[in-house]
């Protein structure tokens, strides 16, 4: 286990960077974030230019603990406090009406702000020492796969970041669950490791999951979390047939699945997503990166069952495949012949 005390000099340096308006890559339990002082508009602007992200897309503000909530949000309902108490520190982001003074650059001009207390010793040490909010989107270029190790951040954003705090591989591996508690209907905007069921059980009230009507929410764009390889979804039963069709097009093809299809041709790589669903979540983004490193043009991916964390994995894979909300097997697309160069 990582010992945050061993890294205190790094944390001090990171605080200095943040105070000067610089960018720090911060490990969290979900994915690495690209952090800046959330009260400093120039620093926040640097996040957008480093990522190549459109300026009107809102960021999550990371806090050391829930006691800071009222500095950032107003009209905080009991449901928000209950969620914070139950799941923070942890992979949960709360969307709340924003407090006066929260920068437009952070909220993308919305009247709400997204807030989260991450569960990682280095992130918590940094947030406590900084004693302020750290605005941090995932530390990847806009529209690409989120980083789950310090090496991923260095590869992709190394030149733009002043300091990378190396907290090891992320223990959850996919982005936080986002819950909108800014209106009377509590709504899950992005599935994650805190499941809809867990939120429902805690609050005992009906939830909406129809997500994003009218809200600019880049993580909800179908094209998000995408590797360069084209991701095509298939059931276990369809894998070989799907692979054949893409091989006929002359493509370099790989398969992402929990088990090796029995009759996979030798020139097709099996990127294994084995283990239980937690393990699969931890590995998913590494596997999408592997697909690119292997120069695959097509990645045939099998969706895990739609239970628990499997729901969030399916969401990310569907988006990597350029599909939107939904998830029923019957939605699997007819395979398109013809490939992006
Ligand atoms: O696990 C995570 O949440 C990671 C780590 C670094 O904390 N962060 C992350 O940030 O995934 P990002 O920027 O890649 O995704 C944040 C999502 C986006 O989809 C954004 O639209 C949404 O949060 N969001 C931020 N503020 C919002 C708001 N006020 N209302 C609705 N959605 C919001
Ligand atoms: Mg992101």
């Amino acid at each position: 286990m990582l010992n945050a005390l061993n890294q205190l000099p790094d944390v001090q340096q990171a605080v200095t960077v943040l105070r000067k308006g610089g960018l720090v890559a911060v490990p969290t339990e979900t994915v690495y974030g690209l952090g800046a002082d959330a009260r400093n508009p120039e620093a926040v602007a640097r996040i957008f230019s480093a990522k190549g992200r459109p300026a009107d897309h809102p960021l999550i503000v990371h806090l050391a603990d829930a006691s800071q909530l009222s500095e950032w949000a107003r009209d905080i309902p009991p449901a928000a406090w209950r969620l914070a108490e139950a799941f923070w520190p942890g992979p949960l982001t709360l969307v709340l009406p924003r407090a006066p003074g929260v920068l437009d650059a952070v909220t993308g001009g919305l009247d709400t702000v997204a807030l989260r207390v991450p569960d990682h010793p280095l992130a918590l040490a940094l947030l406590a020492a900084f004693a302020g909010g750290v605005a941090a989107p995932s530390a990847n270029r806009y529209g690409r796969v989120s980083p789950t190790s310090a090496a991923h951040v260095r590869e992709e954003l190394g030149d733009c970041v002043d300091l990378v705090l190396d907290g090891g591989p992320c223990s959850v591996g996919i982005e936080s669950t986002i819950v909108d508690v800014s209106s009377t209907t509590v709504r899950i905007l992005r599935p994650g490791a805190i499941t809809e069921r867990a939120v429902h059980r805690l609050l005992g009230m009906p939830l909406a999951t129809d997500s994003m009507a009218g809200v600019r929410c880049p993580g909800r764009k179908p094209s998000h979390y995408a590797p360069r390889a084209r991701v095509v979804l298939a059931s276990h039963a369809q894998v070989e047939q799907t692979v054949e069709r893409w091989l006929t097009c002359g493509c370099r093809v790989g398969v992402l699945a929990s088990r090796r299809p029995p009759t996979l041709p030798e020139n097709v790589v099996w990127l294994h997503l084995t283990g239980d669903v937690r393990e699969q979540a931890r590995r998913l983004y590494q596997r999408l990166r592997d697909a690119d490193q292997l120069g695959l043009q097509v990645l045939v991916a099998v969706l895990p069952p739609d239970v628990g964390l499997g729901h969030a994995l399916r969401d990310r894979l569907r988006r990597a495949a350029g599909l939107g909300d939904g998830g029923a097997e019957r939605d699997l697309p007819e395979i398109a012949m013809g490939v992006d160069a």
Side-chain angles (χ1 to χ4, degrees):
M1 186 58 206
L2 182 106
N3 183 350
L5 289 177
N6 291 340
Q7 305 218 19
L8 277 182
D10 289 350
V11 169
Q12 279 316 322
Q13 206 190 332
V15 169
T16 309
V17 170
L18 290 176
R19 296 226 164 100
K20 285 185 178 156
L23 298 184
V24 177
V26 185
T28 84
E29 79 283 32
T30 58
V31 301
Y32 275 70
L34 181 63
D37 178 355
R39 299 278 191 206
N40 178 336
E42 286 87 32
V44 172
R46 287 191 63 202
I47 293 178
F48 287 91
S49 61
K51 273 187 71 102
R53 179 170 174 154
D56 61 349
H57 286 169
L59 304 174
I60 296 173
V61 177
H62 296 71
L63 307 173
D65 60 70
S67 69
Q68 291 171 292
L69 261 184
S70 23
E71 292 167 33
W72 297 88
R74 61 175 206 279
D75 306 329
I76 303 169
W81 291 114
R82 292 183 66 190
L83 287 165
E85 196 184 331
F87 298 120
W88 279 355
L92 175 80
T93 294
L94 295 178
V95 171
L96 283 157
R98 71 170 168 174
V102 177
L103 294 175
D104 274 343
V106 167
T107 67
L110 297 172
D111 191 37
T112 53
V113 62
L115 299 162
R116 162 163 132 80
V117 178
D119 187 14
H120 188 291
L122 263 188
L124 288 171
L126 173 64
L127 290 164
F130 181 59
V134 172
S138 52
N140 51 281
R141 293 208 186 268
Y142 180 61
R144 313 245 35 118
V145 177
S146 296
T148 50
S149 74
H152 295 163
V153 182
R154 290 194 195 101
E155 279 159 27
E156 201 164 314
L157 291 174
D159 298 344
C160 317
V161 184
D162 298 299
L163 180 70
V164 178
L165 282 179
D166 188 344
C170 299
S171 60
V172 172
I174 58 169
E175 304 80 358
S176 60
T177 307
I178 303 181
V179 182
D180 184 350
V181 274
S182 67
S183 64
T184 42
T185 310
V186 174
R187 191 175 295 265
I188 309 259
L189 301 184
R190 179 173 71 183
I194 306 292
T195 59
E196 185 189 333
R197 188 155 168 244
V199 173
H200 181 248
R201 272 229 291 246
L202 182 83
L203 298 181
M205 59 165 83
L207 306 179
T209 50
D210 52 343
S211 74
M212 293 315 309
V215 182
R216 282 188 306 273
C217 194
R220 311 313 302 150
K221 271 183 51 187
S223 63
H224 255 69
Y225 316 106
R228 287 188 179 78
R230 170 182 285 220
V231 176
V232 175
L233 305 180
S235 66
H236 273 296
Q238 291 171 312
V239 168
E240 278 114 333
Q241 189 195 0
T242 310
V243 163
E244 265 322 309
R245 291 172 75 178
W246 286 99
L247 285 175
T248 323
C249 302
C251 292
R252 200 179 317 212
V253 183
V255 168
L256 180 73
S258 58
R259 54 180 195 265
R260 192 178 202 288
T263 61
L264 206 60
E266 266 183 18
N267 58 344
V268 176
V269 200
W270 171 46
L271 295 174
H272 52 92
L273 203 56
T274 49
D276 64 17
V277 76
R278 285 177 186 280
E279 180 107 23
Q280 293 182 18
R282 269 198 291 278
R283 290 207 180 141
L284 176 68
Y285 289 155
Q286 178 64 56
R287 289 293 175 260
L288 296 184
R289 283 167 191 271
D290 292 345
D292 284 344
Q293 240 145 39
L294 291 164
L296 299 184
Q297 291 163 298
V298 175
L299 182 65
V300 178
V302 177
L303 295 176
D306 194 2
V307 264
L309 185 52
H311 183 67
L313 284 182
R314 292 167 68 93
D315 171 79
R316 302 309 192 272
L317 279 168
R318 291 182 61 85
R319 287 173 199 286
L323 304 169
D325 291 309
E329 293 297 340
R330 64 183 149 72
D331 293 341
L332 290 180
E334 260 306 298
I335 191 165
M337 305 300 277
V339 192
D340 300 331

